[in-house]
Amino acid sequence: MKTIDELLADGVDGKRVFVRADLNVPLDGGTITDDGRIRAVLPTVKALADAGAKVVVASHLGRPKGAPDPAFSLAPAASRLGELLGSAVAFAADTVGESAQATVAGLTGGQVAVLENLRFNPGETSKDDAERAAFAEQLAALADVYVGDGFGAVHRKHASVFDLPKRLPHYAGYLIATEVGVLKKLTEDVKRPYVVALGGAKVSDKLAVIDQLLGKADRLLIGGGMAYTFLKAKGYEVGISLLQEDQVPVVQEYMERAEKNGVELVLPVDVLVSTEFPDLKTKAPATFTTVDADAIPADQEGLDIGPRTRELYASKLADAATVFWNGPMGVFEHPDYAGGTRAVAQALVEADGFTVVGGGDSAAAVRTLGFDENAFGHISTGGGASLEYLEGKTLPGLAALED
């Protein structure tokens, strides 16, 4: 995989460089609530602009239905990118149409433009190879060189991620190079003890990575909504907690394999429960009680790991040489149920080992709860991509850059 440093060494002055970024930031109306992904691509964009390239940045945002939708416009992201760069960023009102063509044609060396949301064009996400290829050809006409730096999208076989690099000289940007380097530390010659903390809503989303980790990790800590399927697999009452009943047999088999392989599988010993899901808009105080994990009332729902579990998990993370964390421990968006997620984050901050926050809600939680991002070894920009890499899957966007 060639890197941007090799591209810069060859010279980019006056060249049109297409940067596939991941500007898929959360929006509240037109206001960006977390600009982490924009800041993550800054080193690549700035290095190219400083070297005299005409930088064409492209990304998706959300899941529009293959047609323009103002709610998913990249205009706010373009504006924020300009603020962070300290210079004006041009914005094209379409992806490959008249506005995009005119905007790119108007660039001079060192200037940056952002195209409108790639998913406004149905060719970006099409399952039809010919339709994707046609869109990729139109994108290729806007550039001389391709730089892949949207790590959060590399597990997608999309036109700008998979098909476009085949049509242009292609390089990996700084973010992708960093992300891949980190993931190799989690899969090749891992320093031990290797502890993985997994949370989030659905156990089905994590089964494939658990399957892989049962042969690699020393210790697995399970929290979040997915924990209740594990507790159910132990024969516990889980009340109205999030449960994937159809996954119970698979989870039971994984628990048996963990014991056979000598992998310590750690489950909650107490949980915060309530009869009502919290109001995440008003953040009104919640009514809850703390119960043992094997004593959840039939009419109540588990919403966070309890104080004894927080202490237990912190102790299990303390001696780790390598930690990977993906998924919150509870409904962290509400202050009354953020304690478990905060405890895991704090344990990573205090750990002496190499700590990786695996993107998605975990990365959002770290920022929401006010932690210093520099206190962690690495905060990934792609939760789904990270998990699929750890599952051993071939990621289309990385495969395209390696050709």
Side-chain angles (χ1 to χ4, degrees), residues 284-303:
T287 301
F288 63 88
T289 55
T290 302
V291 300
D292 289 344
D294 61 355
I296 298 174
D299 64 342
Q300 301 204 31
E301 177 179 12
L303 295 165

Side-chain angles (χ1 to χ4, degrees), residues 237-241 273-277 287 289 291 295-303:
E237 168 66 58
V238 297
I240 57 172
S241 304
V273 298
S274 177
T275 56
E276 296 180 337
F277 194 83
T287 301
T289 55
V291 300
I296 298 174
D299 64 342
Q300 301 204 31
E301 177 179 12
L303 295 165

